[in-house]
Amino acid sequence: MTEQAKKRVCVVGSGNWGSAIAKIVGANVVKYNNKFETRVTMYVYEEIVNSQKLTDIINQLHENVKYLPGHKLPENIIAIPDVVEAAKDADILIFVLPHQFIRTLCATLLDKIKPTAVGISLIKGFDRGDGTNIELISKIIEKHLRIQCYVLMGANLANEVAEEKFCETTIGCRDKRLAPLLRDLIQTPNFRVVVVEDCEAVEVCGALKNIVACAAGFVDGLGLGDNTKAAVIRLGLMEMVKFVDTFYSGSKLSTFFESCGVADLITTCYGGRNRRVYY
């Protein structure tokens, strides 16, 4: 991407988290209109809600009434049901959709986006790959779309972010020229962004904390108490550190003390859906 041109942004996904991020991004591109084009496209999987197309509802009412009801989206967020149409001119692609759809989506977008585009994945979890090895979602995007893809993970329950309650998040990005731009795109006074270079550690934390949260939920269900739950969380964090050290060596221990690490772990173990083993 050239430094001079204003960057076009596309949010690929429109669920609960995608809509919350779109709310932030829509406001920030206007705030930093010297850096970004103010029109933001959002890929929306078309559904019929109350006898209307969801894209029509979003574009008319500026609200995702199904996945983020009660929160107005900026009027510069344009819902588009065709992912190629939504993404074709984007310089920054924000991927925020269920992980099981990422391969199909990449196949659809291959050679249909700018070769200079970059991605940022907000998708938490691993992909099973060929069935014998796990793969990071960002690496799948890089491999199948042939673009650079960075990550954003943190203690970010979507409804609380949309309600503008203070929280933090972590961006993993090794490109020191791009990192400030991504921070400006995402950060608000109530949504603090810290950028680190440990992309793999940031992403792995976003996946492994869900496993620890299941264990924390078992503790709750069995009525074993807060001492046991604290032990499970601490031991889980140590296992996360060991996993990253074993498979993605070179990461800094400090990364685990950012929002993507200990904060997301605590939030998920106490308030996330994985604690209830619920999808």
Side-chain angles (χ1 to χ4, degrees):
M1 296 189 301
T2 63
E3 291 295 321
Q4 294 78 18
K6 292 183 180 182
K7 307 301 185 284
R8 295 185 176 93
V9 181
C10 173
V11 179
V12 185
S14 58
N16 187 232
W17 187 212
S19 297
I21 283 295
K23 180 182 176 183
I24 289 173
V25 169
N28 278 352
V29 296
V30 173
K31 179 179 179 180
Y32 297 106
N33 59 21
N34 61 319
K35 301 178 181 181
F36 303 102
E37 294 288 348
T38 56
R39 180 179 185 268
V40 176
T41 56
M42 179 171 70
Y43 165 60
V44 176
Y45 178 78
E46 192 68 279
E47 301 178 62
I48 301 300
V49 179
N50 299 326
S51 303
Q52 285 185 278
K53 293 179 179 179
L54 183 55
T55 51
D56 289 342
I57 295 173
I58 292 173
N59 289 331
Q60 292 167 12
L61 301 181
H62 308 293
E63 179 182 349
N64 189 332
V65 296
K66 181 169 182 178
Y67 295 107
L68 195 67
H71 295 280
K72 287 293 183 180
L73 299 176
E75 294 185 8
N76 58 322
I77 299 293
I78 309 301
I80 299 175
D82 183 332
V83 68
V84 174
E85 179 64 26
K88 65 180 183 180
D89 295 323
D91 300 293
I92 300 173
L93 295 160
I94 301 173
F95 294 94
V96 52
L97 71 165
H99 75 276
Q100 61 265 34
F101 301 126
I102 197 65
R103 291 178 183 274
T104 300
L105 181 126
C106 287
T108 302
L109 289 178
L110 182 61
D111 297 326
K112 304 290 177 55
I113 60 173
K114 288 184 175 181
T116 54
V118 297
I120 179 167
S121 172
L122 280 60
I123 304 169
K124 293 181 179 179
F126 294 123
D127 187 87
R128 293 198 325 171
D130 59 6
T132 59
N133 296 301
I134 60 172
E135 289 190 74
L136 299 179
I137 303 300
S138 66
K139 300 306 179 187
I140 293 173
I141 293 170
E142 288 185 344
K143 180 169 64 176
H144 291 279
L145 283 183
R146 298 195 284 269
I147 63 172
Q148 288 294 308
C149 185
Y150 304 105
V151 295
L152 180 150
M153 305 282 156
N156 308 142
L157 298 178
N159 285 341
E160 294 185 10
V161 173
E163 291 164 6
E164 300 182 9
K165 295 178 179 178
F166 180 80
C167 63
E168 299 178 304
T169 199
T170 311
I171 290 177
C173 177
R174 292 191 182 89
D175 187 333
K176 294 183 178 180
R177 294 176 300 174
L178 180 64
L181 191 71
L182 296 179
R183 185 181 58 237
D184 287 344
L185 184 62
I186 301 294
Q187 183 163 259
T188 75
N190 295 308
F191 194 59
R192 179 173 178 265
V193 174
V194 174
V195 182
V196 300
E197 295 183 3
D198 290 339
C199 299
E200 289 85 1
V202 170
E203 187 168 3
V204 170
C205 282
L208 293 184
K209 55 92 180 181
N210 291 323
I211 300 171
V212 182
C214 289
F218 299 155
V219 170
D220 288 340
L222 292 168
L224 297 178
D226 289 335
N227 291 338
T228 304
K229 189 170 182 177
V232 165
I233 293 171
R234 187 193 73 81
L235 291 167
L237 178 61
M238 296 299 291
E239 290 288 341
M240 290 165 58
V241 173
K242 182 64 174 178
F243 185 98
V244 172
D245 188 52
T246 301
F247 295 102
Y248 301 96
S249 61
S251 296
K252 296 178 180 178
L253 184 61
S254 60
T255 298
F256 295 91
F257 293 94
E258 296 294 348
S259 185
C260 63
V262 66
D264 198 9
L265 180 62
I266 293 170
T267 296
T268 308
C269 286
Y270 279 91
R273 62 186 181 181
N274 285 282
R275 183 182 67 87
R276 295 174 287 146
V277 196
Y278 170 75
Y279 280 90

